[in-house]
Amino acid sequence: MTNPYRQLPSLDKLLARAELQPLIAQFGREAVRDEARALLDAIRSAIRAGEAPPSGDAIIVQLQDRVREALAPSLIPVINATGVIVHTNLGRALLSEEAKRAMIQVASSYSNLEYDLAAGKRGSRYIHAEALLTRLSGAEAALVVNNNAAAVNLVLRTLAAGREVIISRGELVEIGGGFRIPDILAQSGATLVEVGTTNRTRLADYARAISEHTGLLLKVHQSNYRIIGFTEEVEIHDLVGLARRLDRPLPVVHDLGSGTFLDTRPFGLAYEPRVQDSIAAGADVVTFSGDKLLGGPQAGIILGRKEIIARLKRQPLTRAFRVDKTTLAALQATLLAYLRGTATEEIPVWRMISTPAETLAGRARAWADALAQAGVRAELRPGSSAVGGGSLPGQTLPTTLLALPTDHPHRLLAALRAHTPPVIARVEEDAVVFDPRTVLPEQETALLDAIKHAMCA
Ligand SMILES: *Cc1c(COP(=O)(O)O)cnc(C)c1O
């Protein structure tokens, strides 16, 4: 009888194995040694419990898995086959080629981020993208911060801390991830005053609630839900009219959520409030996200009156919410596409929204043909894609789905997620379905490989 412990390699012998050198090059000798030591300890315990020692090759594979599981970067690209274009869990908007280029440029070189080139002295990062934003929206001034939640918080804190903020009961929304308007309000030091009912709020409800304690009137876009049936809401234009008629005029703040410069109706969708319409209606401040329908980087965009934006720029908290230089670079490039009038061709969110139904059907058919050649039976089914990102709730775009009928859809979904790159699909009836609308053409080969793998496993 040989001693089973003697069959285990020593730590040094193990680390000298040729198969482990790439792992050591990637993660460093110390980390691999720590994991190897822990693995050998675990194997010794298993032997004590009566198990047979694994082979040398099996130990290598276990160590590779262990190191990757512990140390491989957790944020990785995935294939979005869900058909939800602005998918918050999958990173929202993809950037245009120009935006990516601008990001790399400013990341690889010094820049005038906070330097005034004309004066040769310290400048402000808050001026970048401002001219483009005011040109596109008609607003007097603009400020970009880290995200829209920060934008709303900053605005409420600056304009209404210690005062009352009047908002319709139908607009006390939870955006997702626990982001609730009432909490943001409480957090900013303002007091919430709800008016109207869940389904109906009239101008008179706002008028009755206004007092000497009021700081501002807030309108929040019902981003991710819709109240239907017996409903009434006050338009931003009427709210502005009310606020201006007061002896002491109050600011009207419009949180648009998604915010778009383009009209959604020509794409077969309902009307999503446009940024420039809200400014034209007289809103004193408008806020929206950079990475929803705008199709740019994560950012919170604040537009509004010069004196209000100037106050926001002076607020100490603005520093904590400040935007990164690569974000500003990508945002400028994204905005230029709107200025050129080429947004629907250049910006992935809009390219996906505007992809013709025949193109999607053709791609799904090509996928089914390729899979058939590999012996995988797939069907084509009519389906619907969603815009997502807290915009256009209940609105869908017609598409053609590739469907894989299966008795165990959740097992198939898990196998697809375990692939490199992971594929995120969804279940519809008896099948796992894939929507070509959100799959990039350059990802198609990887997608089909993942499906073949998962179906044959
Ligand atoms: C999405 C959304 C927010 C939050 O925006 P982020 O950029 O995710 O911080 C705030 N308000 C509304 C109405 C939204 O739809």
Side-chain angles (χ1 to χ4, degrees):
M1 280 279 291
T2 53
N3 178 347
Y5 298 103
R6 300 282 296 274
Q7 292 177 34
L8 295 180
S10 72
L11 197 56
D12 287 338
K13 274 236 174 71
L14 183 59
L15 292 177
R17 289 277 298 251
E19 302 97 307
L20 290 180
Q21 300 321 301
L23 211 61
I24 290 171
Q26 190 178 359
F27 298 107
R29 174 168 295 273
E30 216 168 303
V32 177
R33 190 201 297 123
D34 290 348
E35 290 299 324
R37 191 177 287 130
L39 175 62
L40 290 174
D41 284 348
I43 293 171
R44 283 193 204 94
S45 304
I47 294 173
R48 263 197 301 284
E51 282 182 36
S55 70
D57 288 346
I59 292 175
I60 296 285
V61 172
Q62 284 179 29
L63 182 54
Q64 285 169 332
D65 287 350
R66 204 181 157 107
V67 170
R68 290 207 183 97
E69 184 141 320
L71 300 169
S74 63
L75 178 62
I76 54 171
V78 306
I79 297 177
N80 174 12
T82 64
V84 180
I85 297 171
V86 183
H87 198 306
T88 291
N89 303 147
L90 303 184
R92 288 195 182 159
L94 306 187
L95 297 178
S96 69
E97 291 304 320
E98 290 289 329
K100 285 186 278 186
R101 221 184 337 266
M103 254 180 147
I104 291 170
Q105 239 173 23
V106 89
S108 328
S109 164
Y110 288 109
S111 62
N112 63 339
L113 178 66
E114 291 189 353
Y115 188 76
D116 183 332
L117 287 171
K121 58 184 174 76
R122 193 188 164 136
S124 166
R125 81 171 60 211
Y126 302 127
I127 62 150
H128 303 295
E130 185 168 16
L132 287 170
L133 283 166
T134 53
R135 173 66 65 102
L136 285 165
S137 65
E140 288 176 10
L143 171 63
V144 182
V145 292
N146 185 59
N147 61 349
N148 189 28
V152 174
N153 186 302
L154 193 63
V155 169
L156 294 177
R157 186 180 291 267
T158 309
L159 299 183
R163 309 187 71 85
E164 292 176 353
V165 169
I166 302 177
I167 180 172
S168 161
R169 282 207 169 82
E171 297 172 5
L172 292 170
V173 305
E174 171 168 330
I175 305 306
F179 176 83
R180 290 178 163 178
I181 289 293
D183 296 340
I184 294 286
L185 257 159
Q187 234 284 310
S188 71
T191 310
L192 172 70
V193 175
E194 305 170 31
V195 296
T197 59
T198 305
N199 57 330
R200 303 197 79 170
T201 301
R202 300 184 189 83
L203 199 58
D205 296 321
Y206 288 92
R208 256 197 308 277
I210 291 170
S211 74
E212 74 270 24
H213 305 298
T214 308
L216 59 84
L217 308 184
L218 176 64
K219 184 165 178 64
V220 178
H221 180 47
Q222 295 168 353
S223 300
N224 48 6
Y225 71 106
R226 183 130 294 163
I227 297 173
I228 56 167
F230 187 57
T231 67
E232 186 170 344
E233 71 173 300
V234 176
E235 296 300 331
I236 191 76
H237 173 269
D238 297 321
L239 215 49
V240 168
L242 171 67
R244 297 243 173 100
R245 284 195 300 275
L246 299 167
D247 296 334
R248 180 176 63 87
L250 288 168
V252 174
V253 175
H254 198 181
D255 174 12
L256 279 177
S258 199
T260 173
F261 285 118
L262 296 184
D263 190 345
T264 43
R265 288 167 295 189
F267 302 96
L269 295 162
Y271 173 74
E272 176 79 14
R274 286 191 309 173
V275 175
Q276 58 270 44
D277 296 343
S278 194
I279 294 290
D284 299 282
V285 178
V286 173
T287 75
F288 58 103
S289 295
D291 54 353
K292 289 180 177 174
L293 273 180
L294 187 73
Q298 178 194 303
I301 296 165
I302 310 173
L303 304 174
R305 297 203 182 286
K306 240 192 193 101
E307 64 276 12
I308 293 180
I309 298 294
R311 274 176 74 191
L312 296 176
K313 286 179 179 176
R314 287 196 301 271
Q315 181 28 294
L317 195 68
T318 302
R319 163 78 190 218
F321 290 157
R322 79 180 188 183
V323 66
D324 167 62
K325 65 188 174 194
T326 54
T327 302
L328 283 169
L331 181 63
Q332 293 185 135
T334 304
L335 295 171
L336 277 174
Y338 286 95
L339 206 61
R340 283 193 293 271
T342 51
T344 47
E345 291 105 72
E346 285 191 59
I347 296 176
V349 165
W350 288 96
R351 236 180 15 227
M352 289 176 187
I353 288 176
S354 59
T355 307
E358 315 82 72
T359 306
L360 296 166
R363 289 180 66 196
R365 199 172 312 113
W367 294 356
D369 292 346
L371 289 172
Q373 285 193 354
V376 175
R377 194 180 62 84
E379 298 168 6
L380 300 186
R381 294 183 184 173
S384 21
S385 321
V387 177
S391 66
L392 303 158
Q395 294 279 306
T396 58
L397 296 158
T399 188
T400 301
L401 303 170
L402 179 90
L404 296 176
T406 167
D407 294 333
H408 305 286
H410 292 281
R411 203 182 293 167
L412 180 52
L413 285 179
L416 290 162
R417 290 197 307 270
H419 193 264
T420 307
V423 174
I424 317 297
R426 57 191 170 89
V427 177
E428 229 173 75
E429 293 164 15
D430 62 332
V432 171
V433 298
F434 305 82
D435 188 336
R437 192 182 294 274
T438 49
V439 175
L440 304 172
E442 59 268 30
Q443 293 177 323
E444 288 192 337
T445 312
L447 171 70
L448 296 175
D449 283 348
I451 294 175
K452 287 178 216 164
H453 241 260
M455 291 298 279
C456 301

